[in-house]
Amino acid sequence: MKNKTTKSSEDYLETIYLIKQKKRIVRVIDVARCLSVTLPSVTGALKKLSEKGLVKHTSYGEIELTENGEKIAKETWEKHKLLFALLHDIIGISENTAYKEACLIEHFISKETEEKIKQFLKRHKNK
Amino acid sequence: MKNKTTKSSEDYLETIYLIKQKKRIVRVIDVARCLSVTLPSVTGALKKLSEKGLVKHTSYGEIELTENGEKIAKETWEKHKLLFALLHDIIGISENTAYKEACLIEHFISKETEEKIKQFLKRHKNK
DNA sequence: TTTCAAAGTTAGTTATGACTAAGTTAGTAT
DNA sequence: ATACTAACTTAGTCATAACTAACTTTGAAA
């Protein structure tokens, strides 16, 4: 029952999740613009994500995350926020670079690392 | 003249560089074991790296880095060491996890980030 | 010097995930 | 109601980078 999520899947789920916060209805073109990919790339990705039970998507319709999909999206976004805080607030990397690199690194850090960063940030908040 | 190096190429170059520090002669099987890939994967990778002028490799012979190849290997390893110090020494992540994740993250950080981490570590050395 | 096992190569396959080209759908404007 | 356009899908291609199977080379032991 090992359902390994790829970097790419996590990116799509996270993007859908973030668009949903602002737009109520998420469409293929929104995702394509956010990720700088073409429409067919999104359609293809959604097909795979549907098969894995991570999104609901009817042809020409709106895109929604399933419970599992939203769980992964939130976890990924959580990592992103932690990494951004570390890179930007603590280490002093520019907002832009920190955002972009958090987006790349978020796919590679373990639960252990996430926890340790969280604790580290807590310690350094009141400094 | 944009010679983009992939994550995979960087891994091979870095591995060859590190083996060379210990073994004088680097062989296909050493690289395969280090990276946990098969021999044909290494042969294939070396062919591409040769074409890009990053390694010298004669059939059934030893593997050597060119000047350019060594430059990339050193840069990658430098990032690895910085990330390891950040993750392990500062944030407190276990040696094993820190090493593995530094190895993944090293391919995604910019010169800016590298510099900022270096400065950060310097500041926190005398603490 | 012959043989044989380990190392290495070649050829062909697979998976992922992007792309273009071409065709379909659906909703807005007339 | 019709037509038009933006959004979307389908089909097929390409690049990367791994893999297995089968064959070749090399060097060390007999």
Side-chain angles (χ1 to χ4, degrees):
Chain A
M1 205 56 84
K2 278 239 148 186
N3 219 327
K4 205 192 301 179
T5 317
T6 65
K7 174 190 174 318
S8 163
S9 295
E10 285 172 9
D11 274 331
Y12 279 105
L13 294 172
E14 186 185 24
T15 300
I16 293 164
Y17 175 75
L18 291 176
I19 295 168
K20 191 65 172 267
Q21 318 254 300
K22 302 188 181 172
K23 275 207 56 184
R24 192 175 289 100
I25 287 182
V26 182
R27 323 228 63 204
V28 171
I29 199 158
D30 301 321
V31 178
R33 285 191 182 127
C34 269
L35 288 175
S36 300
V37 296
T38 59
L39 296 174
S41 298
V42 178
T43 303
L46 290 175
K47 206 182 157 203
K48 282 178 209 153
L49 292 169
S50 291
E51 283 161 6
K52 291 183 191 159
L54 299 173
V55 304
K56 273 179 290 180
H57 179 230
T58 51
S59 245
Y60 299 96
E62 76 178 288
I63 302 163
E64 289 184 292
L65 296 174
T66 64
E67 202 175 322
N68 279 343
E70 186 167 316
K71 185 166 170 285
I72 294 168
K74 277 180 175 166
E75 283 166 5
T76 307
W77 180 237
E78 199 56 41
K79 288 180 186 179
H80 180 107
K81 285 189 292 183
L82 283 173
L83 287 166
F84 179 82
L86 176 65
L87 295 175
H88 179 65
D89 306 347
I90 305 286
I91 298 181
I93 292 156
S94 71
E95 208 165 311
N96 218 298
T97 302
Y99 189 91
K100 277 190 278 185
E101 297 186 6
C103 216
L104 296 170
I105 299 171
E106 68 192 13
H107 308 294
F108 300 103
I109 66 169
S110 60
K111 209 67 195 159
E112 178 196 344
T113 297
E114 191 181 342
E115 273 313 308
K116 286 281 162 63
I117 293 176
K118 203 181 287 180
Q119 290 163 22
F120 178 83
L121 290 173
K122 206 173 286 175
R123 268 183 271 131
H124 282 247
K125 200 165 279 173
N126 38 321
K127 171 195 74 148
Chain B
M1 203 57 81
K2 278 240 147 188
N3 219 327
K4 205 191 300 176
T5 318
T6 64
K7 175 191 173 320
S8 164
S9 295
E10 286 172 10
D11 274 332
Y12 279 105
L13 295 172
E14 185 185 25
T15 300
I16 293 164
Y17 174 75
L18 291 176
I19 295 169
K20 192 66 172 268
Q21 318 255 300
K22 305 189 179 172
K23 275 207 57 186
R24 193 174 286 100
I25 286 181
V26 182
R27 323 229 61 207
V28 171
I29 198 157
D30 301 320
V31 178
R33 284 190 183 128
C34 268
L35 289 174
S36 300
V37 295
T38 60
L39 296 174
S41 298
V42 178
T43 302
L46 290 174
K47 204 180 158 207
K48 282 177 210 156
L49 292 169
S50 291
E51 283 161 6
K52 290 181 192 162
L54 300 173
V55 303
K56 270 178 290 179
H57 179 231
T58 51
S59 246
Y60 299 96
E62 75 178 288
I63 302 163
E64 290 183 293
L65 296 174
T66 63
E67 203 175 319
N68 278 343
E70 186 166 317
K71 185 165 171 285
I72 294 169
K74 277 180 174 167
E75 284 167 4
T76 306
W77 181 237
E78 199 55 42
K79 288 180 187 177
H80 180 107
K81 285 189 292 181
L82 284 172
L83 286 166
F84 179 82
L86 177 65
L87 295 175
H88 180 65
D89 306 347
I90 305 286
I91 298 181
I93 292 156
S94 71
E95 209 166 310
N96 217 299
T97 302
Y99 189 91
K100 277 190 279 184
E101 296 185 5
C103 216
L104 296 170
I105 299 171
E106 68 192 12
H107 307 295
F108 299 103
I109 66 169
S110 59
K111 208 67 194 159
E112 179 197 342
T113 297
E114 191 182 343
E115 274 313 308
K116 287 281 163 63
I117 293 176
K118 203 181 285 179
Q119 290 164 21
F120 178 83
L121 290 173
K122 207 173 284 175
R123 268 182 271 133
H124 282 247
K125 201 165 277 172
N126 39 320
K127 169 195 77 148

